[in-house]
Amino acid sequence: MSTASVDRRTRRRQQTIDEILDVSIALMETEGVAALSLSAVARQLGMQPPSLYQYFPSKLAIYDALFQRGAEQFRDAQRKAVADVPVEQQLAHGIAAFGRWCMANQVLSQLLFWRTVPGFEPSPEAFAPALEVMADVQSHLQEAVESGRLREGAASEDGLALLTSMTAGLLSQQLANEPQASFEDGRYMKLIPVVLEMFFHHYAPTRGTAT
């Protein structure tokens, strides 16, 4: 078999995988994240359910691929948001990108940030982009510590947990109460600057001491 034939088969296979994931998201939007049905996915694609197993061995495998897709998209959106802004603004821009992406991708957000599917745990490969995001945020916090804008501890595991819990809490409230609102108009999303101010106040450098 020629290299061109192999490439065509690889492209067709990837196109089918992408279609399966797109249909899965659409079904999860209407039926609920945990209610995904392989039979329903196959019907939407016009294939027999056994054919689906040529691409995904189980429903959990589809969830895993969706988790990785979402984590990669989220990571890329956050990195793009901070690429061309001053260092001292990167944390705020990154968190805003988090909220904006989640509002635009609510199904994937539920899969990434809440345990909506009983028994599902992302594979290490799928989870890797999410770890990169956390490392990026921790790096922004560390920069703020080193520049004297935050005191030691802000970039610790506890500091990171506090910041992500506060921002995820706003997102949870937003999606629960105003899922149709835009990021700009969302009542809870508008509180992101307040949350950041609270975090910076909590980790404000001690007066008269060097960081």
Side-chain angles (χ1 to χ4, degrees), residues 3 37 128 132 142 164 183:
T3 301
S37 163
E132 292 179 45
Q142 185 60 43
T164 54
F183 172 79

PDB file of all heavy atoms in Angstrom, residues 3 37 128 132 142 164 183:
ATOM      1  N   THR A   3       2.174   5.206   0.388  1.00  0.00           N
ATOM      2  CA  THR A   3       2.102   6.169   1.485  1.00  0.00           C
ATOM      3  C   THR A   3       0.883   7.067   1.342  1.00  0.00           C
ATOM      4  O   THR A   3       0.218   7.402   2.326  1.00  0.00           O
ATOM      5  CB  THR A   3       3.376   7.025   1.513  1.00  0.00           C
ATOM      6  OG1 THR A   3       4.518   6.180   1.679  1.00  0.00           O
ATOM      7  CG2 THR A   3       3.322   8.030   2.651  1.00  0.00           C
ATOM      8  N   SER A  37     -25.315   8.184  24.775  1.00  0.00           N
ATOM      9  CA  SER A  37     -25.632   6.823  24.334  1.00  0.00           C
ATOM     10  C   SER A  37     -24.878   6.513  23.051  1.00  0.00           C
ATOM     11  O   SER A  37     -24.961   7.268  22.071  1.00  0.00           O
ATOM     12  CB  SER A  37     -27.140   6.691  24.102  1.00  0.00           C
ATOM     13  OG  SER A  37     -27.440   5.548  23.326  1.00  0.00           O
ATOM     14  N   ALA A 128      -3.158  15.492  30.654  1.00  0.00           N
ATOM     15  CA  ALA A 128      -1.897  16.237  30.551  1.00  0.00           C
ATOM     16  C   ALA A 128      -2.089  17.705  30.201  1.00  0.00           C
ATOM     17  O   ALA A 128      -1.447  18.584  30.808  1.00  0.00           O
ATOM     18  CB  ALA A 128      -0.973  15.554  29.550  1.00  0.00           C
ATOM     19  N   GLU A 132      -0.903  21.212  32.279  1.00  0.00           N
ATOM     20  CA  GLU A 132      -0.150  22.325  31.697  1.00  0.00           C
ATOM     21  C   GLU A 132      -0.803  23.662  32.041  1.00  0.00           C
ATOM     22  O   GLU A 132      -0.118  24.654  32.316  1.00  0.00           O
ATOM     23  CB  GLU A 132      -0.065  22.154  30.179  1.00  0.00           C
ATOM     24  CG  GLU A 132       0.782  20.977  29.724  1.00  0.00           C
ATOM     25  CD  GLU A 132       0.811  20.860  28.208  1.00  0.00           C
ATOM     26  OE1 GLU A 132       0.993  21.899  27.542  1.00  0.00           O
ATOM     27  OE2 GLU A 132       0.633  19.746  27.690  1.00  0.00           O
ATOM     28  N   GLN A 142       3.805  32.745  40.569  1.00  0.00           N
ATOM     29  CA  GLN A 142       5.190  32.815  41.017  1.00  0.00           C
ATOM     30  C   GLN A 142       5.842  34.107  40.547  1.00  0.00           C
ATOM     31  O   GLN A 142       6.619  34.729  41.276  1.00  0.00           O
ATOM     32  CB  GLN A 142       5.979  31.610  40.491  1.00  0.00           C
ATOM     33  CG  GLN A 142       7.413  31.528  41.004  1.00  0.00           C
ATOM     34  CD  GLN A 142       7.482  31.433  42.521  1.00  0.00           C
ATOM     35  OE1 GLN A 142       6.714  30.690  43.137  1.00  0.00           O
ATOM     36  NE2 GLN A 142       8.399  32.183  43.130  1.00  0.00           N
ATOM     37  N   THR A 164      -8.209  28.826  42.132  1.00  0.00           N
ATOM     38  CA  THR A 164      -9.030  28.043  41.212  1.00  0.00           C
ATOM     39  C   THR A 164     -10.395  27.735  41.811  1.00  0.00           C
ATOM     40  O   THR A 164     -11.393  27.685  41.083  1.00  0.00           O
ATOM     41  CB  THR A 164      -8.322  26.734  40.826  1.00  0.00           C
ATOM     42  OG1 THR A 164      -7.949  26.004  42.008  1.00  0.00           O
ATOM     43  CG2 THR A 164      -7.059  27.024  40.012  1.00  0.00           C
ATOM     44  N   PHE A 183     -20.456  36.042  28.360  1.00  0.00           N
ATOM     45  CA  PHE A 183     -19.420  36.246  29.370  1.00  0.00           C
ATOM     46  C   PHE A 183     -19.439  37.687  29.867  1.00  0.00           C
ATOM     47  O   PHE A 183     -19.311  37.947  31.067  1.00  0.00           O
ATOM     48  CB  PHE A 183     -18.050  35.909  28.791  1.00  0.00           C
ATOM     49  CG  PHE A 183     -16.908  36.277  29.694  1.00  0.00           C
ATOM     50  CD1 PHE A 183     -16.563  35.475  30.765  1.00  0.00           C
ATOM     51  CD2 PHE A 183     -16.181  37.442  29.480  1.00  0.00           C
ATOM     52  CE1 PHE A 183     -15.513  35.820  31.616  1.00  0.00           C
ATOM     53  CE2 PHE A 183     -15.133  37.795  30.312  1.00  0.00           C
ATOM     54  CZ  PHE A 183     -14.806  36.984  31.386  1.00  0.00           C
TER      55      PHE A 183
END
